[in-house]
């Protein structure tokens, strides 16, 4: 049997989720502020949560 | 976190989710076509503008109102709103100052001819059914407030989900989906991953949805406080018999607020105006300010300017909650992303329901085999909390 891994600390658990949440929030606000470039910033930011789920689904452990 | 704290948060997550899940599934499913309502309605639009010389002079707003009233005799004007990019105004009329929506008539009027292009009184089509199911389940204000409460439960479910995410993930790296073992484990990992990744979108769309359900009481509160203060000298006066010119009212309002453009006009007596005034709702000229509306009040008997004040915070919150809930402020790519996130939310809701049913089945199997009923619960949450 493998050695059990030590439990992860909270920052390791919530670091990436917090980053994704902040990017999402920035994307939601960006398109409110201006048209054109800011809309594109918003599309890029809101793609992050969507593409993250696709990425981890493709890398699921079979 | 102690085992006890985890168990309490698990219970909160379980019950808030169970109560709201079916309603949230309804909202996600009906919301999906609503995201694209502009595109869908454009497919079946029958109000195309007839060709006319580009320099055709525009008729007055008063002509447009007269045209709508001629079509619906005995009614009175309630609202007039401006199309964003065409010389078209939409005039709402009804039998009294505040009739139920079902008795209102909306006419799209070509300002170049003052002719009615189309009536927008569609209350049968597919999109109308989706909208009503989404807003109030055909149950009026109580239905609206009920769905608002369900949205609040979704917020609690999301929050408690984040708390119990930690013990689940103590031994797993972010995004792990164990698809090779049991079906239950695969859906548990997916539920956790999708839930934490879409967290911010779900919270923002959920809470702005809740704020939108409070629209009726918030506007009523504004009318009887801020608006009442603006028109204090007119308190108790009845709705005028005859209204002064709408065009003159709009000109007066725009002179009082240079650089702003009218979004819509509320006629005397309706819930967005006082009993004695035209409320000309003006928007800013830049993308950042055109969502912020300021009402200018014009005496509907004399045409004189009465007052103009910016909106209180709760009305601004209500106003900003619309784009943030609808996802209609960043073009078609944003709508597609909105739809993708909506579908992911459906997967979260569905997997949550599946996990609850699967655990119940396991618990029953264990009970039948004489095993300890609480063992399966410990197997999922307890393992991570050791």
């Amino acid at each position: 049997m493998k050695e059990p891994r030590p439990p992860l600390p909270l920052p390791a658990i919530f670091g990436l989720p917090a980053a994704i949440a902040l990017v999402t929030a920035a994307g939601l606000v960006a398109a409110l502020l201006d048209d054109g470039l800011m809309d594109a910033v918003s599309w890029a930011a809101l793609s992050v949560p969507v593409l993250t789920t696709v990425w981890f689904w493709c890398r699921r452990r079979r | 976190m102690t085992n006890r704290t985890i168990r309490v948060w698990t219970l909160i997550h379980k019950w808030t989710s169970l109560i709201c899940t079916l309603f949230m599934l309804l909202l996600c499913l009906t919301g999906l076509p609503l995201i694209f309502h502009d595109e869908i309605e454009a497919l079946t639009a029958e109000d195309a503008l007839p060709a006319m010389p580009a320099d055709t002079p525009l008729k007055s707003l008063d002509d447009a109102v007269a045209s709508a009233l001629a079509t619906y005799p005995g009614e009175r004007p309630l609202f007039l709103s401006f199309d964003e990019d065409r010389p078209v105004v939409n005039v709402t009329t009804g039998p009294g100052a505040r009739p139920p929506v079902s008795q209102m008539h909306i006419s799209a009027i070509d300002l170049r001819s003052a002719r009615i292009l189309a009536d927008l009184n569609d209350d049968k089509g597919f999109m109308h059914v989706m909208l009503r199911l989404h807003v109030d389940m055909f149950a009026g204000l109580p239905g609206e407030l009920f769905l608002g409460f369900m949205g609040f439960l979704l917020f609690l479910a999301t929050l408690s989900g984040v708390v119990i995410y930690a013990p689940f993930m103590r031994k797993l790296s972010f995004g792990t989906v164990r698809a090779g073992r049991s079906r239950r484990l695969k859906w548990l990992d997916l539920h956790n991953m999708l839930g934490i990744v879409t967290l911010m979108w779900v919270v923002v769309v959920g809470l702005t949805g809740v704020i939108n359900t409070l629209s009726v009481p918030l506007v009523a509160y504004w009318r009887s406080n801020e608006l009442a203060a603006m028109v204090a000298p007119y308190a108790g006066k009845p709705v005028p018999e005859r209204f002064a010119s709408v065009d003159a009212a709009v000109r007066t309002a725009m002179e009082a607020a240079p650089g702003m453009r009218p979004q819509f006009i509320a006629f005397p007596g309706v819930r967005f105006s006082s009993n004695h005034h035209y409320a000309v709702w003006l928007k800013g000229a830049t993308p950042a300010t055109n969502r912020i509306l300021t009402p200018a009040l014009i005496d509907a008997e004399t045409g004189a300017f009465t007052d103009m004040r910016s909106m209180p915070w709760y009305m601004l919150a209500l106003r900003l909650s619309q784009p943030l809930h609808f996802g209609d402020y960043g073009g078609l790519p944003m709508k597609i992303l909105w739809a993708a996130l909506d579908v992911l939310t459906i997967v979260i809701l569905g997997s949550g329901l599946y996990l609850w049913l699967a655990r119940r089945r396991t618990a029953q199997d264990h009970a039948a085999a004489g095993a300890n009923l609480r063992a399966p619960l410990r197997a999922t949450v307890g393992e991570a909390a050791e």
Side-chain angles (χ1 to χ4, degrees):
Chain A
M1 254 180 82
K2 280 189 295 182
E3 274 292 299
R5 280 201 298 179
L8 294 165
L10 281 187
I13 295 175
F14 283 112
L16 280 169
I20 293 171
L22 285 178
V23 169
T24 308
L28 290 171
V29 173
L32 278 179
L33 300 178
D34 204 355
D35 293 337
L37 177 69
M38 288 307 253
D39 282 343
V41 169
S42 171
W43 303 334
L46 292 179
S47 300
V48 169
V50 177
L51 295 180
T52 306
T53 61
V54 174
W55 169 260
F56 283 119
W57 173 250
C58 293
R59 288 173 42 111
R60 65 191 183 277
R61 292 188 206 155
R62 286 178 219 259
Chain B
M1 252 189 292
T2 65
N3 274 341
R4 210 185 113 71
T5 341
I6 293 168
R7 204 156 39 217
V8 169
W9 281 105
T10 307
L11 275 177
I12 295 175
H13 187 65
K14 174 169 139 187
W15 285 105
T16 50
S17 309
L18 275 179
I19 296 167
C20 75
T21 290
L22 284 183
F23 295 101
M24 287 304 136
L25 279 172
L26 168 81
L27 293 179
C28 287
L29 289 170
T30 53
L32 203 51
L34 288 174
I35 297 171
F36 300 103
H37 78 95
D38 279 331
E39 287 75 8
I40 294 171
E41 276 155 16
L43 290 178
T44 56
E46 44 192 63
D47 63 343
L49 277 184
M52 282 173 101
D55 54 355
T56 309
L58 298 186
K59 303 275 189 190
S60 70
L61 300 176
D62 293 294
D63 290 337
V65 172
S67 177
L69 290 177
T71 310
Y72 298 106
E75 300 201 349
R76 48 152 295 169
L78 304 172
F79 297 103
L80 183 153
S81 67
F82 295 85
D83 256 26
E84 192 69 18
D85 41 18
R86 315 186 298 172
V88 171
V89 291
N90 306 298
V91 178
T92 309
T93 59
R98 273 187 269 176
V101 177
S102 58
Q103 290 178 23
M104 293 182 183
H105 295 110
I106 309 175
S107 315
I109 294 171
D110 186 342
L111 264 188
R112 300 167 306 172
S113 59
R115 277 205 205 101
I116 295 188
L117 282 173
D119 65 65
L120 309 176
N121 312 317
D122 177 24
D123 52 3
K124 288 176 284 290
F126 171 76
M127 291 306 280
H128 177 77
V129 173
M130 291 298 108
L131 181 67
R132 289 298 306 273
L133 282 173
H134 192 86
V135 170
D136 62 5
M137 304 185 296
F138 291 94
L141 183 59
E144 212 170 314
L145 295 174
F146 174 81
L147 287 179
F149 180 63
M150 291 299 120
F152 177 68
L153 288 183
L154 174 76
F155 175 65
L156 292 183
T158 312
L159 216 63
S160 54
V162 173
V163 175
I164 58 174
Y165 175 81
F168 273 112
M169 298 304 289
R170 273 197 201 161
K171 305 266 169 141
L172 292 173
S173 57
F174 174 65
T176 306
V177 178
R178 294 163 292 181
R181 286 152 76 179
S182 73
R183 197 199 303 175
R184 209 183 149 285
L185 194 62
K186 177 177 87 179
W187 284 107
L188 176 69
D189 283 352
L190 267 177
H191 184 80
N192 287 344
M193 186 266 281
L194 291 174
I196 204 74
V197 167
T198 60
L199 170 69
M200 183 57 81
W201 185 84
V202 168
V203 166
V204 168
V205 172
L207 286 184
T208 52
V210 172
I211 295 174
N212 282 324
T213 66
L214 300 175
S215 152
V216 170
L218 283 179
V219 172
Y221 180 84
W222 169 80
R223 196 177 195 271
S224 57
N225 288 276
E226 268 83 2
L227 182 70
M230 288 167 78
V231 298
Y234 293 85
K237 277 201 172 189
V239 176
E241 295 276 306
R242 305 182 68 101
F243 298 156
S245 158
V246 183
D247 289 276
V250 169
R251 270 196 304 277
T252 308
M254 287 175 76
E255 277 162 23
M260 296 180 91
R261 289 176 302 138
Q263 162 104 348
F264 74 96
I265 299 154
F267 284 71
V270 306
R271 69 190 193 105
F272 284 94
S273 187
S274 82
N275 281 342
H276 203 81
H277 292 81
Y278 286 122
V280 180
W281 289 77
L282 300 155
K283 59 180 176 181
T286 67
T289 57
N290 75 2
R291 290 173 205 290
I292 297 171
L293 297 181
T294 308
L297 296 175
I298 313 295
D299 188 322
E301 210 162 28
T302 66
F305 176 83
T306 299
D307 199 0
M308 180 167 70
R309 285 186 208 171
S310 42
M311 296 301 265
W313 65 270
Y314 57 88
M315 289 294 277
L316 282 180
L318 181 60
R319 178 79 188 124
L320 285 176
S321 287
Q322 294 177 355
L324 285 170
H325 188 74
F326 306 156
D328 60 353
Y329 59 107
L332 191 58
M334 176 183 265
K335 292 181 181 183
I336 293 169
L337 288 162
W338 226 255
L341 287 158
D342 184 84
V343 169
L344 292 176
T345 309
I346 294 175
V347 177
I348 300 170
L349 293 166
S351 58
L353 204 55
Y354 164 77
L355 289 168
W356 174 68
L357 291 170
R359 176 180 299 165
R360 268 168 49 105
R361 218 177 299 132
T362 332
Q364 277 162 2
D365 292 348
H366 277 258
N372 183 348
L373 249 180
R374 288 167 72 179
L377 184 73
R378 236 186 263 144
T380 39
V381 184
E383 177 211 6
E386 72 209 67

